[in-house]
Amino acid sequence: MVPVSGFFGSSAPRPVQPGEYPLWEEALELVNRDLAATLPEQEPLRLTGFPPWEEGEAEYVYVALANGESQGNCLEPGSADSPALALAAVADAAQETVSELLWQAWPVCGEHGIGMHPQEADGQVGWWCAGGKSAREPAHVRAAVGALGSLVRPHRPHRKPRRRDR
Ligand SMILES: [Zn+2]
């Protein structure tokens, strides 16, 4: 029998160190741009690792809030090898963690006011919105992951139209 010790078998998460999963880290930088653009009071998300159940398996890596909490599934280990898969996986995990732990849809489409989901097409990963109720507002990709900040417009006071019922 080989005694099991150290990292394996403990249930404590550990912060993932820079350089361990380069593509996941690059993907998280893009997602954190979207977080900063939409929820500026939130600290950046980070990757946390949990030891595997079985020795020799890959550790479980989650996208967590700054306080280390996460929700949903761990990142699919195979997604660490492809930029598009990594971005789709990290955006999906971030969406789950943020929306579940902060009790709000995230990110929200500025046109339709509903939560969006990452979708990959032709190697590009964008935030997909189901659209509006009318057929004139079909499902659409709002922006590439990492580009939501380019859509945020400065706040302008909204003028109410004058009532003309008299
Ligand atoms: Zn929309």
Side-chain angles (χ1 to χ4, degrees), residues 24-40 42-47 63-66 87 90-91 94 98 106 127 145-146:
W24 283 345
E25 290 161 28
E26 280 174 34
L28 193 61
E29 268 180 49
L30 287 174
V31 173
N32 272 330
R33 278 189 216 169
D34 286 344
L35 187 72
T38 53
L39 298 176
Q42 284 297 314
E43 300 275 321
L45 303 170
R46 54 192 182 84
L47 300 175
V63 174
L65 296 182
L87 186 51
V90 168
V98 171
W106 182 83
W127 289 114
V145 172

Side-chain angles (χ1 to χ4, degrees), residues 89-147:
V90 168
D92 197 49
Q95 195 251 321
E96 184 100 0
T97 286
V98 171
S99 58
E100 292 291 323
L101 293 175
L102 301 182
W103 296 74
Q104 58 182 278
W106 182 83
V108 170
C109 174
E111 283 175 57
H112 300 111
I114 55 175
M116 300 186 287
H117 297 274
Q119 191 184 60
E120 197 242 312
D122 300 329
Q124 299 283 320
V125 185
W127 289 114
W128 179 90
C129 163
K133 287 192 175 122
S134 114
R136 287 186 202 161
E137 301 170 284
H140 64 118
V141 172
R142 175 91 171 133
V145 172

